[in-house]
Amino acid sequence: MSHDALSYDKAAALIAKHAAKLARLRSPVERVDLEQAPGRVLARPLRADRDQPPFARSTRDGFACRASEASTHASLALTGATKAGAAPSGPLKLNSAWEIMTGAPVPRGADAVVMLEHVEAANGRVRLLPPRTVEPGENIVAKGAHARKGDELLPPGTRIGPAQIALAAACGCATLPVFAKPRVAILATGDELVPVDSSPAPGQIRNSNAPMLAAMVAEAGGEPWVLPIARDTEKALDSALAQAAAADLLLITGGVSAGKFDLVEPALLRAGARFHFTGVRIQPGKPTVFGETPSLRRTTLVQDQDGTKCQNQSRAQHCFGLPGNPVSSAVTFLLFAAPILAALAGSRDTFPRFALAKLASDVKAKPGLARFLPASCTFAGHTPEVALVPWQGSGDIAAMARANCFLVVPEDAKHLKAGAIVRILLT
Ligand code: AMP
Ligand code: MG
């Protein structure tokens, strides 16, 4: 089929618009243990169950005191000691100090902690050594300085990683409410394909796209559902599409170029698809197709484990036809499918991850095409530095496996010079 290909910027804007629309729909919610939470998306706000920190806390081993008294360098009587874990104590008497450990509650009446290393301590008395003085609040984190009881600490839509898990644990949450993972059907098409565990006959190749895309889907927060390989016939494609209709998102690889056996677009049309684009001026990945088909799923009322009722709207199923060449499939997944998948997963963070790096050597552009070339970025120095990985075109899986990013060559670039700061797409 011949269609006008969009510029990369237009295609990206269209994807962003659809992602924003999807992000407003509600998905079912489930509860997972903290160990199962990495990579999931928070479905309800995480709130502080008490003030954080819950008591005025010393950040040093030393002596709690009144800053005004300690700063005169007077000798202060030691009147008590508090270890981490001990209940808050005090009040601190006038002209006295209180021994304290890191993480321990500061006694009432004290407004600063002087460090162990900064005092002279002898015979039950301490003195701050001149010329050092101390300000009120020094080495103390006030009760509630990080958050007040009931404050929203994380909004729904936050992707959960180690830091969010630490926060949940600090708030006493052994489980978290997360959005159900979107189910992503992966359909590899092609007469030449055989499954990974069979030996290819002459002319055949192994289906490497399906396991690659399954890994990418899992990493992006989806539940991969790999369908059997579909042959390049109308019948095979129609029945595979009917089966895939139960998925939240459909990724098809192969069969979207202009060849005689590229039958995916017509098959999607027969399944009722509307296309948002059927070609993007990028290399690799030009024939990429993005559309939606009516979903067979019914509207259901689901009740999540917090007791909140929400409607699982019957939404159209978004679908991608990704070019079969493995590098094309990978690039177009990252650029276009990953944002839609992130939105379906309920994440607020739906954009492809671009970063900046210094280019190691000159790169030629292809006017009229934005290029995404397998590249290797090293983070060893002060500024990340990126170099192209030599490759033999978009079927070169070995080159892609040696790369850790894609160098972006904009559509309007003449060429990129060594030393220039360039964009890279992180994998
Ligand atoms: P197509 O997009 O169907 O024209 O395929 C383009 C190239 O990608 C051809 O060389 C195919 O053999 C190859 N290819 C298609 N599907 C896959 C797959 N699932 N795994 C590996 N290579 C594939
Ligand atoms: Mg094919």
Side-chain angles (χ1 to χ4, degrees):
M1 292 204 157
S2 71
H3 299 277
D4 288 337
L6 294 184
S7 69
Y8 167 67
D9 288 345
K10 283 225 167 87
L14 235 150
I15 291 286
K17 193 183 88 183
H18 282 275
K21 213 163 71 184
L22 284 173
R24 289 197 294 272
L25 298 176
R26 298 243 262 143
S27 299
V29 178
E30 58 195 38
R31 261 190 184 276
V32 292
D33 292 342
L34 288 189
E35 299 88 271
Q36 267 75 56
R40 302 301 298 267
V41 177
L42 191 65
R44 302 271 175 267
L46 176 70
R47 294 188 184 281
D49 68 324
R50 55 181 186 156
D51 287 354
Q52 299 246 355
F55 46 84
R57 182 177 68 204
S58 175
T59 61
R60 303 282 185 214
D61 292 327
F63 299 92
C65 58
R66 287 182 187 82
S68 56
E69 291 172 358
S71 295
T72 65
H73 310 293
S75 162
L76 305 171
L78 262 182
T79 51
T82 307
K83 295 194 295 187
S89 51
L92 184 69
K93 293 201 187 101
L94 287 176
N95 294 311
S96 61
W98 191 284
E99 192 176 7
I100 195 158
M101 319 300 158
T102 301
V106 175
R108 271 173 296 121
D111 63 8
V113 169
V114 293
M115 286 168 65
L116 196 58
E117 298 86 334
H118 297 164
V119 302
E120 174 186 75
N123 306 323
R125 303 189 73 84
V126 293
R127 191 170 79 93
L128 181 60
L129 291 170
R132 199 176 290 276
T133 57
V134 63
E135 296 292 326
E138 227 173 293
N139 301 323
I140 295 176
V141 185
K143 177 177 191 292
H146 301 166
R148 288 287 179 191
K149 179 176 177 171
D151 280 356
E152 180 177 305
L153 300 176
L154 295 175
T158 303
R159 185 107 193 242
I160 300 166
Q164 293 71 32
I165 287 176
L167 188 59
C171 293
C173 302
T175 64
L176 283 173
V178 296
F179 291 120
K181 287 187 192 179
R183 196 173 184 215
V184 183
I186 297 166
L187 176 63
T189 72
D191 285 342
E192 73 279 34
L193 302 178
V194 296
V196 184
D197 53 4
S198 42
S199 3
Q204 296 185 324
I205 60 166
R206 295 192 181 91
N207 170 16
S208 58
N209 283 350
M212 172 183 76
L213 288 169
M216 294 179 98
V217 163
E219 222 170 77
E223 188 74 53
W225 173 30
V226 176
L227 298 173
I229 295 163
R231 298 299 162 208
D232 290 320
T233 66
E234 290 185 355
K235 198 165 154 240
L237 288 171
D238 288 348
S239 88
L241 292 189
Q243 194 189 356
D248 298 296
L249 177 65
L250 168 60
L251 305 178
I252 306 170
T253 72
V256 288
S257 331
K260 189 168 167 193
F261 295 102
D262 290 329
L263 305 175
V264 165
E265 265 187 65
L268 284 169
L269 281 175
R270 286 195 299 279
R274 286 193 305 123
F275 292 127
H276 301 305
F277 59 70
T278 54
V280 188
R281 295 199 301 272
I282 56 173
Q283 193 219 21
K286 189 153 180 267
T288 304
V289 170
F290 171 47
E292 48 191 287
T293 56
S295 171
L296 297 182
R297 288 181 306 142
R298 302 275 143 71
T299 303
T300 46
L301 256 191
V302 294
Q303 191 158 14
D304 68 40
Q305 289 173 22
D306 292 0
T308 327
K309 279 200 174 123
C310 67
Q311 225 182 33
N312 183 15
Q313 291 108 327
S314 169
R315 33 172 100 131
Q317 181 194 58
H318 284 80
C319 55
F320 285 92
L322 309 178
N325 265 313
V327 185
S328 315
S329 272
V331 165
T332 52
F333 176 89
L334 290 172
L335 292 176
F336 306 125
I340 296 295
L341 173 51
L344 286 169
S347 172
R348 295 153 66 97
D349 180 12
T350 60
F351 292 95
R353 286 178 183 262
F354 290 106
L356 297 178
K358 196 169 85 182
L359 186 61
S361 50
D362 290 11
V363 174
K364 282 205 193 96
K366 278 203 178 164
L369 284 178
R371 307 180 79 190
F372 299 87
L373 305 175
S376 169
C377 186
T378 165
F379 298 90
H382 182 265
T383 305
E385 188 173 273
V386 64
L388 284 186
V389 169
W391 73 317
Q392 307 297 319
S394 48
D396 194 344
I397 309 176
M400 177 167 69
R402 288 192 294 270
N404 65 359
C405 66
F406 294 94
L407 170 69
V408 184
V409 187
E411 183 175 339
D412 55 6
K414 294 266 180 326
H415 58 265
L416 302 180
K417 280 225 173 301
I421 298 296
V422 292
R423 286 177 97 199
I424 56 175
L425 171 65
L426 299 175
T427 52

